[in-house]
Amino acid sequence: MHLHILGICGSFMGGVAALARAAGHEVTGSDENVYPPMSDQLRALGIELHRGYDPAQLDNKPDVVVIGNALSRGNPCIERVLNDDMAYISGPQWLAVNVLNERHVIAIAGTHGKTTTTSMLAFILERAGHEPGFLIGGVAPDLEISAKKGNGRCFVVEADEYDTAFYDKRSKFIHYRPRTLVLNNLEFDHADIFPDLESIKRQFHHLVRTVPANGRIICNTADESLRDVLAEGCWTPIEHFGEKTEAEWSVLPHEKDASRFSVSYLRNHVGTIEWKLVGEHNMLNGLAAVAAAHHVGVAPEKAVELLAGFSGVRGRLELIGEQSGIRVYDDFAHHPTAIRLTLQAARHAASGNVIAVLEPRSNTMRMGTHTAELEAALNVADRVFLYQPPNLGWNLGVLTTAMKDKARVLGELDALVEQLADAAGTGDDVIIMSNGGFGNLPERLLKLLAERQK
């Protein structure tokens, strides 16, 4: 069968493409921006890529067009699909029908930590010999690829609450029908499609309704919004995880940066993890992964032992390089809570100043929805640099006024690189945060620092 995938370079749709190719299908696709690393991965799989949405790319009449949620009515390819009565399907539905069917699906949902927790769980199951399938919205070096069919009964999927397609406004995760569901946390996000937190809670409750009575829900005990979701009705056994000892799964940090911590199940110590990762959020992500692995047959002691070898996910407080004693990190954080947790983790591990650099790139951030919370999150850093992209819709200067001399706004990347190089000193950590490429800012900063050292 020939599948043509519209929006193929997104992390989810690129994973769908890889799974379809592994199943023996002919796969082609297109995207507005065809760029590495996803474009390199897809071409290595023998997938022909088109740049842009010229409807002529559909002249060869694929058997089915798989449509990503970034595309809307008015897109030339969408219009041709509809006008010519071509068969089409959304990415999540294709995944559910062709891959998840008859698998034990383990879904990782939540506003934060989905990619990391999914990667951790897939890593544990692989190392434990379960041969899982997985689809992850990022790249964990330990796994090498972001999507794999797997030969075992389990399939681990990052369960996104974003909408499915232009014609299906339910959250993606409604299609997955998990038997094991991890609920990490729940906050307001995606202001471009959700009017308020209650509307997101409703989607999460729809997800809860799909989990069978002989399945399991693994829930963050400290999250009030998740408690509200489950209070609406739950027909599945629940295990809680968190730092409170009354939870079935609990942790006890031994270092301020949470790089070493103990794991307990039903108040019995099952092991200690010491790893390269830092931050309370990563500690809790790891705990959730251990709990989910237990539900599919991995002993907690074994899961803890294996997880200690996990080295992280690209773009999650990832050290890109060090120059002149200055460490430069890349991080995906684009929500105030994620920004705060990232900077707190960096603060606990830092020997010098923590310098935060933010590109407000997500739809919610561009709308200015989280402005009030953003100031407190960024204030964890010693210095703050804010990039004002064209057509942002609001002035980042409101944050510099509130943070006074600590923060500054720049609208040119060249000037931003220069001022970062001026501000950073030996022992400092520069945390560059964006959910996009940010003009290769980490690499540009390291290059300038190296040139100045000559």
Side-chain angles (χ1 to χ4, degrees):
M1 179 177 286
H2 176 197
L3 282 68
H4 187 77
I5 300 179
L6 301 176
I8 196 170
C9 284
S11 58
F12 174 81
M13 297 300 282
V16 167
L19 292 168
R21 194 74 185 88
H25 298 298
E26 178 188 355
V27 181
T28 57
S30 64
D31 211 308
E32 192 69 46
N33 298 299
V34 177
Y35 50 87
M38 185 56 76
S39 60
D40 294 339
Q41 288 185 45
L42 295 173
R43 288 194 174 105
L45 293 171
I47 295 173
E48 179 186 347
L49 301 178
H50 301 263
R51 185 183 297 276
Y53 295 112
D54 183 341
Q57 65 190 261
L58 299 171
D59 285 349
N60 58 359
K61 302 292 184 181
D63 295 296
V64 64
V65 180
V66 186
I67 298 175
N69 69 345
L71 282 77
S72 303
R73 285 300 305 265
N75 177 284
C77 282
I78 296 291
E79 297 307 311
R80 180 165 184 191
V81 165
L82 296 175
N83 288 336
D84 291 5
D85 200 23
M86 293 182 176
Y88 64 90
I89 192 171
S90 70
Q93 188 177 359
W94 185 91
L95 178 70
V97 171
N98 294 279
V99 179
L100 303 185
N101 188 32
E102 298 184 354
R103 304 289 289 268
H104 181 123
V105 177
I106 311 172
I108 313 298
T111 309
H112 316 293
K114 292 186 293 293
T115 298
T116 302
T117 308
T118 307
S119 300
M120 288 174 174
L121 179 55
F123 175 80
I124 291 170
L125 296 179
E126 276 220 328
R127 295 303 190 272
H130 284 234
E131 299 185 71
F134 53 81
L135 197 162
I136 305 168
V139 178
D142 297 313
L143 298 171
E144 298 181 350
I145 54 177
S146 61
K148 183 177 181 180
K149 183 175 182 291
N151 297 316
R153 69 187 181 98
C154 294
F155 195 98
V156 187
V157 60
E158 179 173 334
D160 187 5
E161 69 270 27
Y162 215 81
D163 61 1
T164 295
F166 76 92
Y167 63 92
D168 183 353
K169 293 306 175 182
R170 295 173 298 170
S171 291
K172 289 179 184 177
F173 55 40
I174 295 301
H175 295 274
Y176 300 156
R177 300 187 180 182
R179 186 162 294 275
T180 307
L181 172 62
V182 173
L183 297 174
N184 259 350
N185 39 62
L186 178 51
E187 292 190 84
F188 181 61
D189 199 7
H190 308 309
D192 51 324
I193 63 170
F194 293 115
D196 51 36
L197 179 59
E198 291 303 314
S199 61
I200 307 178
K201 287 181 182 179
R202 188 172 304 113
Q203 292 294 323
F204 270 74
H205 189 246
H206 292 165
L207 174 61
V208 167
R209 284 176 171 270
T210 68
V211 186
N214 61 356
R216 183 169 299 169
I217 293 174
I218 296 161
C219 183
N220 183 345
T221 190
D223 195 285
E224 183 177 345
S225 292
L226 291 178
R227 289 198 295 271
D228 292 343
V229 168
L230 296 173
E232 288 293 315
C234 183
W235 300 265
T236 307
I238 303 170
E239 288 188 347
H240 295 90
F241 70 94
E243 292 189 69
K244 296 182 179 179
T245 55
E246 59 264 28
E248 287 88 345
W249 297 90
S250 62
V251 285
L252 177 65
H254 298 299
E255 306 291 343
K256 285 185 177 180
D257 62 2
S259 60
R260 182 171 177 268
F261 57 93
S262 296
V263 175
S264 295
Y265 177 52
L266 301 177
R267 301 189 181 182
N268 295 312
H269 174 77
V270 297
T272 299
I273 292 177
E274 185 169 359
W275 58 5
K276 299 176 183 178
L277 280 63
V278 295
E280 176 185 321
H281 59 301
N282 279 321
M283 176 177 67
L284 292 174
N285 291 337
L287 181 62
V290 170
H294 178 245
H295 188 225
V296 293
V298 181
E301 295 82 0
K302 184 64 175 179
V304 166
E305 176 190 338
L306 293 171
L307 189 57
F310 183 75
S311 60
V313 177
R314 287 177 187 161
R316 272 63 176 183
L317 203 55
E318 178 188 5
L319 178 62
I320 302 301
E322 182 173 348
Q323 188 65 48
S324 308
I326 300 166
R327 290 172 294 276
V328 179
Y329 294 84
D330 179 34
D331 195 84
F332 188 75
H334 57 277
H335 181 285
T337 298
I339 291 168
R340 174 178 55 80
L341 292 171
T342 293
L343 294 177
Q344 286 175 342
R347 161 73 64 214
H348 287 311
S351 57
N353 290 324
V354 172
I355 301 173
V357 189
L358 177 66
E359 177 188 26
R361 183 179 176 276
S362 72
N363 289 332
T364 304
M365 192 72 78
R366 292 184 67 86
M367 293 169 67
T369 304
H370 291 308
T371 304
E373 298 91 342
L374 195 54
E375 177 196 342
L378 289 167
N379 251 326
V380 175
D382 297 291
R383 299 285 303 277
V384 177
F385 289 81
L386 302 165
Y387 173 59
Q388 177 96 33
N391 306 315
L392 177 60
W394 60 288
N395 191 338
L396 292 172
V398 299
L399 295 174
T400 61
T401 300
M403 290 189 283
K404 299 181 180 179
D405 295 336
K406 177 183 282 193
R408 65 179 63 176
V409 177
L410 296 102
E412 298 290 338
L413 285 176
D414 288 343
L416 178 57
V417 174
E418 291 282 346
Q419 292 199 28
L420 277 173
D422 291 340
T426 301
D428 290 350
D429 290 342
V430 180
I431 317 298
I432 297 175
M433 296 175 288
S434 171
N435 68 338
F438 207 167
N440 294 319
L441 187 62
E443 293 80 4
R444 291 172 65 175
L445 176 58
L446 288 165
K447 181 181 178 182
L448 180 57
L449 291 171
E451 290 172 352
R452 289 188 175 186
Q453 196 176 31
K454 293 178 181 177

